[in-house]
Each structure stands twice: as C-alpha cells, then as structure tokens.
Amino acid sequence: MSDDSTHRSKRALLLRNPKARRGQESIASLLELLKDGGLDVTVETFEALPEIARDIVRLRHRADLVIVCGGDGSVSSAALAAMESGLPLGIIPMGTANDLARTIDIPMDPVGAADVIVRGEMRQVDVGTVNGHAFFNVASIGLSSELAQSLDPVLKKRFGRLSYAVAAMKVMTRASRFKAKITEKGRTIDAETYQIAVGNGRHYGGGNVVQENAEIDDGHLDLYSLEMTNLWKLALMLRSFRSGTHGAWREVRTAKCIEFDIETKKPMPVNTDGEIVTATPAHFKVHPKAISIFAPSARERSEAGRPALYHR
C-alpha cells in the first residue's frame, strides 16, 4: 500500500513531446491533478529525442521523479538516464501505439495516467538494450525497421495506427529475406529471414504480443525470426501475433535468453520502440528490474479481471 506521505511535496520533472500524436493537447487538467496530489511539477518541452536524456541528467538533482508525456520512443529515450539517476518514471501516453502503457496497464487517458502517478504505486520493470540503446517493448531488424523508415510523420500523427497499415503494405511489396547469424549462449545458428525481433516487454506494434507468456519483469528477452519463403503467409498468421502464439508456426523460430548477438553480411538498421537507433552487428541484453515505473498495483490489475493474453 502506498502512503500519501510518500509522495507529498515531491518534485516532478515533466518532459513533454509536442511532436507526439497527441502532443498538442492541453495538459492543464493533468497538471492540476498532479499539483493537487502534492507534486511540484517543472515542465520541460523537447524537440528531439536525445534532449530527453540530457534534460534528466541536467535536472536530476532538482527532481524526485520523471514524467514523460509522449509515445514509446520518448519513454525509451528516457530509460538509460532514469536508470543512472535512480529516479522513478511516470508515463503519460500521448503517442500512436503506447505499447509500454498497455503492457503495464496504464490508462490511455492522460488524466487517468496522471492519477496513477499521484497514487504512487510502482512496478519494477526490465529494460532491454541493443548496442547500449535502451528499449522497453521490442527491437527488430528487417521488416519493422523498413516500416519505421517508411512511415510519414504527418500521416502517423493524423491517422495513428492506420498509417502503420499503409506503410506495411508498401514494405511487404518490396521485402526480401536476409541472412543472419544468431548467437545465444555461445551457440550460433544461420538464418534466412524477413525479420528478427527481440522483445523485452509484452506488447509491440500497437497491441501485438511478443510471446504469449512474456512479461516486462520476467528477466529475459524473447526472440522470434520470420523464416517463411512466402511473406504473404503473414496474413494467415496475424491472429497468432495478436495473442503471442506465432511460435507454433514452423516458419517462426523462437528463443528465450538474457543475451543475443545478431550479425548480418552488411550493416542493417535496428528499430527500437519505433525509432532507428543503431545497426548490426547487434548485441542485445536484458537488465532485470532496472527501473521503477508508476503503474496500477497488482491488486488493481487483479480486480480488473482482465485475461492474461489481452490488454485493452
């Protein structure tokens, strides 16, 4: 149970991304709720994702917690600085997919999300890294990276998840398999694949599930590789990706580990939580329970009575 005294008069650094899909919405009501909850809030606006970490490092001694108003890319950009500072993280989901919020049951309504922060319950979650760049949901090579590069920012802001579907159709018409070496526990396998994805959390891509039993605090990463010969077979597999049961298809290679290394013949971009941040060769690692995030308590999640595989 949280005690009101534990969050009274705490200083909150609120980082706002005006370029997020809902970034231009008024935050006056949620600021009022945070203030009424005993938080002294300093608002900083950022124009580019690298500014988030710099703001946290610069202002860490003037804050007791960090709140990020933005999408998954914004939250992931805050991860390493939050880990190093030891500051707990609050999330106001204002992006397109908001998969981390889905994973830990944070309300999509900004005022509801602010209320979670005021109540003060926290959940320790794992953080994944690839070549030193943090991700909460999934990092991928292949289709998703091509998709991220194909997205029109204007259409993404206007049409939300529909813009992903439009870009995906374009990507699939020109996609081709690539050869990769996947190393796990010192054992290397050769794969010819359309995509390799490494998940740290549960949800990605607007509600897909990385693996049916995956949780963001289970201490390991979940990998899958799409090794079909006909990419259009994905259409038959879509339902299984929504439930995380895609590993049942023989064309999908799966693995579970705390570290993976992936090499490709030529450097290929790596997409983490919707942003291209690095390239292969790629070293993936999980950092167990590395950050505390304000989230509904286990009791609240239990009372919601939601089936484990599906999240609103």
Side-chain angles (χ1 to χ4, degrees), residues 68-227:
V68 177
C69 283
D72 289 310
S74 298
V75 179
S76 293
S77 295
L80 292 181
M83 284 171 63
E84 291 171 5
S85 68
L87 296 175
L89 195 60
I91 300 170
I92 308 293
M94 303 189 85
T96 303
N98 302 307
D99 286 306
L100 177 58
R102 294 171 190 275
T103 292
I104 57 178
D105 298 299
I106 292 173
M108 294 296 148
D109 166 44
V111 172
D115 185 56
V116 168
I117 296 169
V118 166
R119 291 204 302 272
E121 296 279 1
M122 284 184 274
R123 182 175 175 182
Q124 285 188 300
V125 306
D126 303 341
V127 174
T129 56
V130 52
N131 294 349
H133 298 270
F135 63 97
F136 282 108
N137 305 318
V138 73
S140 56
I141 302 158
L143 291 177
S144 293
S145 292
E146 294 173 34
L147 176 60
Q149 295 173 92
S150 300
L151 277 174
D152 184 320
V154 176
L155 293 180
K156 181 180 176 184
K157 192 163 187 177
R158 183 174 181 183
F159 296 109
R161 281 190 277 173
L162 180 61
S163 64
Y164 285 93
V166 174
M169 290 299 291
K170 292 180 181 178
V171 167
M172 288 180 70
T173 59
R174 61 174 187 263
S176 59
R177 294 198 293 177
F178 62 94
K179 292 181 179 180
K181 291 183 182 294
I182 303 171
T183 302
E184 166 200 355
K185 297 179 182 174
R187 183 175 67 93
T188 299
I189 60 103
D190 293 307
E192 192 166 348
T193 179
Y194 281 103
Q195 171 165 294
I196 298 171
V198 178
N200 170 66
R202 180 170 179 80
H203 288 288
Y204 71 101
N208 291 323
V209 176
V210 71
Q211 198 274 339
E212 61 181 324
N213 298 317
E215 293 294 346
I216 199 166
D217 53 6
D218 58 16
H220 63 251
L221 302 171
D222 291 281
L223 177 147
Y224 74 78
S225 174
L226 299 179
E227 299 176 10

